Amino acid sequence: MTDQQPTRAQRREATAARILEAAQEEFGTHGDGATIRGIARRAGVDPSLVLQHYGSKQALFALAVRAVDDLDHDDVPRHLEDVLDVRLRELPAPTRALMRSMLTSPQATEVMRTYLQERAATLAATMDDEQATTRAALVVASIMGVTIARHFLDLPGLADADGSDLTELVERWLDLAPDRPTQVP
């Protein structure tokens, strides 16, 4: 059995993936202050290769922070629990990068706004009342607040909080679970 060497296209694809992963980590650590040189160093490539693959820092940033998963609105409570659980644990590098940059970079602001609008619209579609859009935006904004408080402000009380406990509080607060009495915590 002979060992097959990767093709040129496979090597190029692997390098591009390594650069993108390095960019996610660099933007996550340094926000908009990340540099092509830092990304290249982390990926183990020459800086010119980063530009060859992605064209510019801005183009690489847009790819590094893009949302890759779609919200499945068939199981909102479970999804909210999963999202809160993830946000209370380690923040994914693309999300960290986007959040670090969203207040200083117009491009990051627009990416975050679009991402949050999409999430809120999908969530609102699962609600059956005239305030669905507002309620969904409130859920999305609350999760963002939890994320900021946990990962950037180290707010006591969130470090040990369980995603399912927070989800239940959010559900009651916003009356997402109609079989439970609405109580403001």
Side-chain angles (χ1 to χ4, degrees), residues 81-92 151:
E81 182 178 335
D82 291 347
V83 168
L84 284 168
D85 192 47
V86 166
R87 296 302 184 252
L88 288 170
R89 293 175 193 246
E90 187 57 34
L91 200 56
H151 293 284

Side-chain angles (χ1 to χ4, degrees), residues 9-181:
Q10 289 170 326
R11 288 191 310 269
R12 182 173 171 75
E13 187 177 311
T15 299
R18 213 169 58 244
I19 292 169
L20 184 57
E21 183 177 322
Q24 291 171 330
E25 293 171 10
E26 282 292 303
F27 286 122
T29 301
H30 303 290
D32 202 37
T35 64
I36 293 294
R37 288 187 190 280
I39 293 165
R41 190 176 321 108
R42 191 180 287 259
V45 300
D46 188 84
S48 64
L49 201 53
V50 174
L51 294 174
Q52 181 182 347
H53 278 278
Y54 293 98
S56 68
K57 178 180 161 183
Q58 292 77 17
L60 183 54
F61 178 82
L63 286 172
V65 301
R66 78 186 186 287
V68 294
D69 60 333
D70 291 325
L71 176 62
D72 180 5
H73 62 278
D74 291 335
D75 189 2
V76 173
R78 188 175 115 303
H79 177 75
L80 288 175
E81 182 178 335
D82 291 347
V83 168
L84 284 168
D85 192 47
V86 166
R87 296 302 184 252
L88 288 170
R89 293 175 193 246
E90 187 57 34
L91 200 56
T95 304
R96 182 176 289 280
L98 184 56
M99 294 186 83
R100 280 191 185 279
S101 303
M102 70 183 177
L103 297 178
T104 58
S105 164
Q107 181 182 12
T109 300
E110 186 55 34
V111 169
M112 181 59 88
R113 181 183 301 113
T114 300
Y115 174 80
L116 295 177
Q117 285 172 339
E118 290 170 0
R119 293 299 193 225
T122 302
L123 183 57
T126 68
M127 300 174 183
D128 189 24
D129 69 274
E130 59 191 46
Q131 293 181 323
T133 301
T134 303
R135 290 175 52 223
L138 189 55
V139 170
V140 169
S142 296
I143 291 172
M144 174 174 263
V146 166
T147 304
I148 291 169
R150 166 68 178 93
H151 293 284
F152 296 96
L153 303 176
D154 296 320
L155 185 66
L158 290 178
D160 299 325
D162 177 77
S164 60
D165 291 342
L166 286 176
T167 300
E168 185 176 332
L169 291 172
V170 170
E171 287 173 358
R172 283 195 217 154
W173 180 40
L174 298 171
D175 196 24
L176 291 173
D179 58 330
R180 295 185 190 148

